[in-house]
C-alpha cells in the first residue's frame, strides 16, 4: 500500500469567533492530482495557508513525506518540497518575468554575502544552469516573449503561468494550486490545464482548489470535499457528483 505524502490530522483554527478549520483530517497520496472542492467558506484556502506555514496558530498536525511540518516556517516547508501558488498572483512589481523565475531556484550559492562579494566558480556555474532552466521554463509556459516585462504588465493568465513556473523551479515534490484558472481567459485556461497534465505525468503531486467542475473532472484522479472547515467525503469525480451529502452542502440540493 502506498504511504500518504501529505497527512492532515485534526487541523483547526479560529479567527475571532469564526472557526475556519474545524478538525479537518485526511491524507493525500503521492503522484496524483487531487481536487479540493467545497462551497465558499469551506476552509480550502485557509487549509493551504496552514499547511504552507503562512497562517500560524492552528492546532492539529500536518505531516509531509513522513515529517511533521506543523510548526515549520514557510521557507523550510518550501525547501522540503511542498510549494504553493496563490489565488491572486501578484509577484514583485519591480521585477521582470525572468527575474521572478531566477528568484526561486533552490539553495543558490550566490545568495551568501561573502560569495556575492568575492565571487565563486561553483556559484557562477549554478547561476548559469539556473538561467538556462529559467529560459527553458519561459519557453515551456509560452512566456518567452514577455521575459523582460515587469510582472505588472502581464495579463491575469500570464501571471498564473508565472506562478506555476516559479513553483516548478523550486523543485517541488507537491504543488498546492489555489484556483490557478480563476479570472483567466478560455484560451489560457486550456494552456494551464495542459501544463498541469504534464506536471502530473512528471511525477509531481498536485492539490488543486478549483470551482469549475469540468476542470476537476478532466484533471483530478481523486476529489476531496470540504464543508464547514471539515472533511466531508472523497472519491472519484463520478462518486462525488452522485453523492447526496455533496449535493446538499455544495450544490444546495436538499434531501426530499
Amino acid at each position: 500500500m502506498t504511504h500518504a505524502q501529505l497527512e492532515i490530522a485534526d487541523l483547526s483554527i479560529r479567527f475571532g469567533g469564526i472557526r475556519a478549520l474545524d478538525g479537518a483530517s485526511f491524507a493525500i497520496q503521492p503522484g496524483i492530482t487531487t481536487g479540493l472542492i467545497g462551497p465558499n467558506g469551506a476552509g480550502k484556502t485557509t487549509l493551504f495557508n496552514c499547511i504552507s506555514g503562512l497562517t500560524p496558530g492552528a492546532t492539529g498536525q500536518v505531516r509531509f513525506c513522513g515529517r511533521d511540518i506543523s510548526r515549520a516556517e514557510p521557507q523550510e516547508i518550501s525547501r522540503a518540497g511542498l510549494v504553493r501558488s496563490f489565488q491572486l498572483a501578484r509577484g514583485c512589481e519591480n521585477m521582470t518575468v525572468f527575474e521572478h523565475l531566477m528568484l526561486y531556484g533552490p539553495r543558490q550559492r550566490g545568495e551568501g554575502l561573502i560569495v556575492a562579494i568575492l565571487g565563486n566558480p561553483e556559484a557562477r556555474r549554478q547561476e548559469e544552469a539556473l538561467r538556462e532552466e529559467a529560459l527553458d521554463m519561459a519557453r515551456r509556459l509560452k512566456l518567452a516573449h514577455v521575459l523582460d516585462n515587469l510582472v505588472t504588465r502581464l495579463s491575469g493568465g500570464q501571471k498564473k503561468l508565472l506562478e506555476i513556473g516559479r513553483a516548478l523551479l523550486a523543485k517541488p515534490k507537491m504543488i498546492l494550486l489555489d484556483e490557478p484558472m480563476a479570472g483567466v481567459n478560455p484560451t489560457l485556461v486550456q494552456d494551464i490545464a495542459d501544463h498541469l497534465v504534464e506536471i502530473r505525468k512528471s511525477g509531481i503531486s498536485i492539490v488543486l482548489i478549483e470551482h469549475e467542475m469540468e476542470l476537476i473532472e478532466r484533471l483530478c484522479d481523486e476529489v476531496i470535499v470540504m464543508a464547514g472547515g471539515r472533511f466531508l467525503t472523497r472519491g472519484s469525480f463520478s462518486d462525488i457528483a452522485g453523492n447526496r451529502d455533496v449535493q446538499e452542502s455544495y450544490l444546495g440540493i436538499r434531501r426530499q
Side-chain angles (χ1 to χ4, degrees):
M1 180 178 179
T2 303
H3 292 291
Q5 189 173 26
L6 180 65
E7 300 170 271
I8 299 152
D10 199 27
L11 202 61
S12 299
I13 192 168
R14 284 181 177 272
F15 301 116
I18 299 173
R19 188 182 287 274
L21 291 176
D22 188 16
S25 298
F26 53 85
I28 293 174
Q29 301 302 314
I32 66 172
T33 297
T34 302
L36 185 62
I37 70 171
N40 290 331
K44 303 181 297 295
T45 295
T46 300
L47 182 80
F48 272 18
N49 290 342
C50 292
I51 291 171
S52 57
L54 294 177
T55 301
T59 60
Q61 187 180 61
V62 180
R63 297 182 67 84
F64 180 64
C65 295
R67 173 186 172 189
D68 188 345
I69 60 169
S70 307
R71 310 293 179 264
E73 295 293 326
Q75 64 272 19
E76 186 181 355
I77 294 170
S78 180
R79 284 196 297 267
L82 181 57
V83 180
R84 66 160 298 173
S85 74
F86 294 88
Q87 185 177 348
L88 297 176
R90 294 191 180 94
C92 302
E93 61 183 24
N94 295 319
M95 293 176 64
T96 66
V97 169
F98 180 67
E99 289 168 337
H100 271 86
L101 293 173
M102 289 289 289
L103 182 64
Y104 288 96
R107 294 181 171 86
Q108 298 183 45
R109 294 177 182 272
E111 290 178 342
L113 179 60
I114 294 176
V115 174
I117 293 172
L118 300 179
N120 178 282
E122 180 60 31
R124 286 194 293 271
R125 285 193 291 271
Q126 185 190 44
E127 183 175 1
E128 184 57 35
L130 180 57
R131 179 184 297 272
E132 291 302 316
E133 284 189 65
L135 291 172
D136 180 62
M137 185 63 66
R139 287 189 288 266
R140 286 171 54 192
L141 298 176
K142 301 179 182 178
L143 294 174
H145 64 294
V146 294
L147 204 58
D148 296 323
N149 287 16
L150 294 176
V151 70
T152 51
R153 295 178 57 192
L154 300 182
S155 70
Q158 289 171 331
K159 289 178 182 178
K160 294 296 182 75
L161 286 168
L162 181 57
E163 279 273 280
I164 292 171
R166 66 93 184 162
L168 290 173
L169 285 171
K171 303 292 190 284
K173 300 173 184 174
M174 175 181 285
I175 304 178
L176 310 179
L177 297 176
D178 193 349
E179 296 193 47
M181 283 79 148
V184 177
N185 73 59
T187 300
L188 278 180
V189 164
Q190 292 306 313
D191 286 345
I192 293 172
D194 290 342
H195 287 303
L196 297 187
V197 170
E198 293 304 312
I199 291 169
R200 185 239 189 261
K201 287 180 180 177
S202 74
I204 298 172
S205 309
I206 298 173
V207 185
L208 173 69
I209 296 175
E210 179 54 57
H211 288 288
E212 292 294 331
M213 292 298 103
E214 289 183 5
L215 290 169
I216 290 290
E217 183 178 17
R218 173 187 170 187
L219 297 172
C220 297
D221 302 288
E222 184 175 48
V223 183
I224 292 174
V225 186
M226 291 184 65
R230 300 178 64 87
F231 168 83
L232 179 62
T233 189
R234 72 190 305 159
S236 67
F237 179 83
S238 59
D239 292 337
I240 294 301
N243 186 296
R244 292 296 297 179
D245 290 331
V246 175
Q247 293 171 356
E248 183 173 342
S249 66
Y250 189 53
L251 302 176
I253 299 173
R254 297 296 180 185
R255 296 181 187 275
Q256 300 297 319

